[in-house]
Amino acid sequence: MEKINLYIKTVLTSIGQIMLQENPWTGLLFLIGIFYGSPVMGIAAILSASVGLITAQLLKYDKTEIEHGLYGFSATLVGVALTFFFKRELIIWITIILGSALAAIVQNVFIRRKIPAFTLPFILITWVCLYVFHNLDIIGAPVMPAESLVDENGLATVARGFGEVIFQGSMIAGILFILAVFINSPIAALYAIAAGLISAYLSYQFAEPNADIHMGLFSFNAVLCAITFSGIRVRDGIYVLFSIILSTLIDVYMLKMGCSVLTFPFVAASWITLLVKKFLPAEYR
């Protein structure tokens, strides 16, 4: 029974680590939000997090790293992404299992080399799947319900920005995600809320479509950046603002180039911010 409880806790912690929160209750709220948006995506999240965990155990990765959920969050994103982009047919479920295992392996490569990969394993694997399945016309996109008019108030935009981190477009899921981050790190949640508003404002300046802005499509990378660099020092706020602006600019540029951005603007902006911090005197880091 103890092993089962530890297994469930590790899976939920892995899901919580999608937004850098090592907290199983955060993971549980994320999971509820995903199930609210799509039960199929919820099942894919549990399956892929479990595959990431089992892969790490079979390959005898560090036990502490496994329990911290480091091998499940990219895997979880792979599972949810593939059920978002493609019809939920047998080949996609097989790809979810293989892709989740590969995400855990790639994550370990970066951890061993002490490179902060963030969600890069998820991005690389999902980009390959998008290229293969779309260009070889193997499987099409799922039938989505018709989109209703998007509420354009700021709070709804922020909530959707949180939701889109895990491919959830509903405001309810987004509110659950905000609450999930807040119970583990109030300061991270507050910075991330500000990130949603700032990134939306910046997107307006580039004349991006209103509907896309209010769906949170220009905010979710900024939300992740704010959570990553949040802290109680004044300089933390400066790094948060720098990474938010950077990720939004990268986001806008990639979308104009017709790229599938996923969370790459977050990863790129975080790497650049970390590099800037590295070259600054210690008292400014």
Side-chain angles (χ1 to χ4, degrees), residues 11-275:
V11 167
L12 292 176
T13 303
S14 299
I15 296 172
Q17 285 282 20
I18 291 174
M19 295 197 204
L20 297 98
Q21 306 302 306
E22 189 188 325
N23 185 323
W25 294 106
T26 297
L28 179 61
L29 283 173
F30 284 172
L31 197 55
I32 292 170
I34 298 168
F35 267 99
Y36 175 82
S38 164
V40 175
M41 287 188 186
I43 293 168
I46 294 173
L47 172 65
S48 49
S50 301
V51 170
L53 169 59
I54 292 168
T55 302
Q57 288 175 329
L58 289 175
L59 296 177
K60 302 187 185 308
Y61 293 160
D62 184 88
K63 189 179 175 185
T64 305
E65 292 171 357
I66 294 173
E67 290 178 1
H68 286 181
L70 300 186
Y71 295 108
F73 66 92
S74 270
T76 303
L77 285 171
V78 169
V80 177
L82 292 182
T83 50
F84 174 80
F85 286 115
F86 302 107
K87 290 178 182 174
R88 292 79 181 254
E89 297 180 0
L90 179 61
I91 189 171
I92 285 303
W93 291 104
I94 294 171
T95 307
I96 286 173
I97 293 172
L98 296 175
S100 301
L102 189 56
I105 293 169
V106 175
Q107 201 84 46
N108 179 258
V109 171
F110 283 107
I111 290 174
R112 297 281 74 79
R113 285 161 178 73
K114 302 187 185 306
I115 299 172
F118 300 108
T119 53
L120 188 62
F122 145 68
I123 297 165
L124 296 175
I125 291 162
T126 305
W127 272 348
V128 170
C129 291
L130 287 171
Y131 179 83
V132 171
F133 289 136
H134 280 161
N135 286 284
L136 300 183
D137 202 22
I138 293 175
I139 190 166
V143 177
M144 294 289 191
E147 289 186 7
S148 55
L149 288 175
V150 178
D151 191 337
E152 295 192 355
N153 75 60
L155 290 178
T157 302
V158 169
R160 290 198 175 89
F162 272 79
E164 290 292 350
V165 173
I166 321 180
F167 300 94
Q168 303 305 308
S170 81
M171 196 168 67
I172 299 296
I175 291 171
L176 282 170
F177 292 175
I178 293 172
L179 180 62
V181 176
F182 189 85
I183 62 171
N184 190 59
S185 175
I187 188 73
L190 294 174
Y191 266 124
I193 289 170
L197 294 171
I198 294 169
S199 56
Y201 173 78
L202 289 173
S203 306
Y204 273 124
Q205 308 313 307
F206 289 93
E208 297 298 336
N210 272 7
D212 290 353
I213 293 171
H214 291 291
M215 275 304 296
L217 300 185
F218 291 94
S219 296
F220 65 92
N221 279 290
V223 163
L224 287 172
C225 284
I227 291 171
T228 301
F229 294 101
S230 62
I232 58 173
R233 303 172 305 175
V234 173
R235 75 189 74 158
D236 295 324
I238 295 170
Y239 292 125
V240 166
L241 181 61
F242 178 72
S243 63
I244 289 171
I245 294 171
L246 203 52
S247 70
T248 307
L249 294 178
I250 296 170
D251 205 335
V252 169
Y253 176 77
M254 288 183 70
L255 283 172
K256 285 191 186 302
M257 293 296 105
C259 301
S260 179
V261 300
L262 302 177
T263 51
F264 185 76
F266 152 61
V267 174
S270 296
W271 280 346
I272 294 169
T273 306
L274 288 174
L275 202 60

Side-chain angles (χ1 to χ4, degrees), residues 3 8 121:
K3 282 188 175 179
I8 294 172

